[in-house]
Amino acid sequence: MTSLRIFSYQPNPRVWKATIAARLGEVEIELRGAAPEALADWLWDFDARPLTAADRADASTLQTGRVGFGGTPLRKSAAFLDAHPFGTVPAAFSPDGATGIFESNSIARAVARLGTATLYGADAYEASRIDSFLDASLVFGRDTQPYLLALRGDTVNADIHAGAAAAVATYLRGIERALAPARDYLVGKTLSLADICFACELTMLWCERPLRARLAALGLTPALSDDFRRTHPRAADHFERLRAHPAFAPDLEPYLARLERKA
Ligand SMILES: N[C@@H](CCC(=O)N[C@@H](CS)C(=O)NCC(=O)O)C(=O)O
């Protein structure tokens, strides 16, 4: 039985926090959505779907997209906004649609709570330490998001790049230290949501690679530098191990490999 429905543009590494946790914990998720540009022609709703003629005629759902959809008219139902007050995707719902869960880290937490795998710590202390990494990952994601959007939209500038480069340095410094001297996982002795969110947030930075000409034109280099293996070897090794892990690879590997080929 489906335990969670998630609506999002696809592919979206933020959604993979949930799908990886679902593979590990044997949770059935229903994914709905389409390419980012196609979501303007979808009804954002528990019953998310390509717009019907009746949906298009309903002016009450019209909203102006903001983050990542700047200025684009989007169709968000009143029920969607009730369940998702910030109006963002990925947007998860309980199977009856009554409870909306937003923020990709919290959607992954929901999957961990629903599943059979111990991904959310052995006790309250470990769970809270996992939360600490999830919060740090959210800050990292928030601090790099304007840069990644500007890079895609070809409006990047040196200031936006500097903000992202500082965020990458701060985040990787912490991850590197957390894995010292030779830890296999970020929290405790087993894989947890902390590792999943780390791998997915870092994956977001891969979309810099095929766009490096845009940076070079401004005299800049990728915020996640090509030689981050040299500067942050534990973080780089951890990421390499995770992307090859059987629960991660089905989502991460085709995406990363495609961006690496394009670069
Ligand atoms: N921190 C959030 C980020 C979600 C987010 O910013 N989503 C953007 C797309 S990248 C969105 O849904 N924008 C819709 C809008 O602004 O109308 C998460 O991890 O889920």
Side-chain angles (χ1 to χ4, degrees), residues 9 12 14 17 44 63-70 72 74 76 86-91 102-105 107 138 141-142 145 149 152 201 204:
Y9 62 85
N12 182 354
R14 292 193 183 103
K17 298 173 184 177
W44 294 35
Q63 296 280 325
T64 302
R66 295 180 215 289
V67 181
F69 291 89
T72 308
L74 298 172
K76 301 182 186 179
F86 298 96
T88 53
V89 288
F102 45 93
E103 283 298 334
S104 55
N105 290 354
I107 298 171
L138 173 60
R142 185 67 194 82
Q145 189 179 37
L149 291 172
R152 283 208 194 107
E201 286 297 343
M204 305 278 296

Side-chain angles (χ1 to χ4, degrees), residues 15-200:
V15 171
W16 300 337
K17 298 173 184 177
T19 51
I20 292 166
R23 243 172 243 122
L24 290 161
E26 298 175 345
V27 177
E28 204 174 304
I29 292 181
E30 181 191 345
L31 284 183
R32 290 197 183 189
E37 54 284 1
L39 286 202
D41 292 316
W42 274 59
L43 183 67
W44 294 35
D45 187 57
F46 172 60
D47 185 21
R49 57 180 183 267
L51 291 168
T52 61
D55 294 331
R56 284 185 200 279
D58 180 1
S60 74
T61 59
L62 258 181
Q63 296 280 325
T64 302
R66 295 180 215 289
V67 181
F69 291 89
T72 308
L74 298 172
R75 300 291 190 147
K76 301 182 186 179
S77 70
F80 179 85
L81 290 173
D82 194 36
H84 293 277
F86 298 96
T88 53
V89 288
F93 294 88
S94 55
D96 59 1
T99 306
I101 304 157
F102 45 93
E103 283 298 334
S104 55
N105 290 354
S106 289
I107 298 171
R109 282 184 184 98
V111 177
R113 289 180 174 121
L114 289 165
T116 54
T118 308
L119 297 174
Y120 202 9
D123 57 29
Y125 299 101
E126 260 190 27
S128 303
R129 184 165 165 83
I130 290 167
D131 281 338
S132 307
F133 279 99
L134 266 46
D135 287 356
S137 297
L138 173 60
V139 170
F140 170 66
R142 185 67 194 82
D143 287 348
T144 48
Q145 189 179 37
Y147 163 71
L148 295 175
L149 291 172
L151 190 56
R152 283 208 194 107
D154 206 3
T155 57
V156 72
N157 62 41
D159 280 349
I160 296 178
H161 175 271
V168 169
T170 302
Y171 186 60
L172 286 184
R173 194 180 311 121
I175 297 293
E176 189 70 12
R177 206 174 276 148
L179 292 167
R183 293 201 179 104
D184 288 334
Y185 300 103
L186 286 170
V187 178
K189 295 196 177 349
T190 56
L191 185 80
S192 76
L193 285 182
D195 304 293
I196 295 174
C197 291
F198 158 69
C200 294

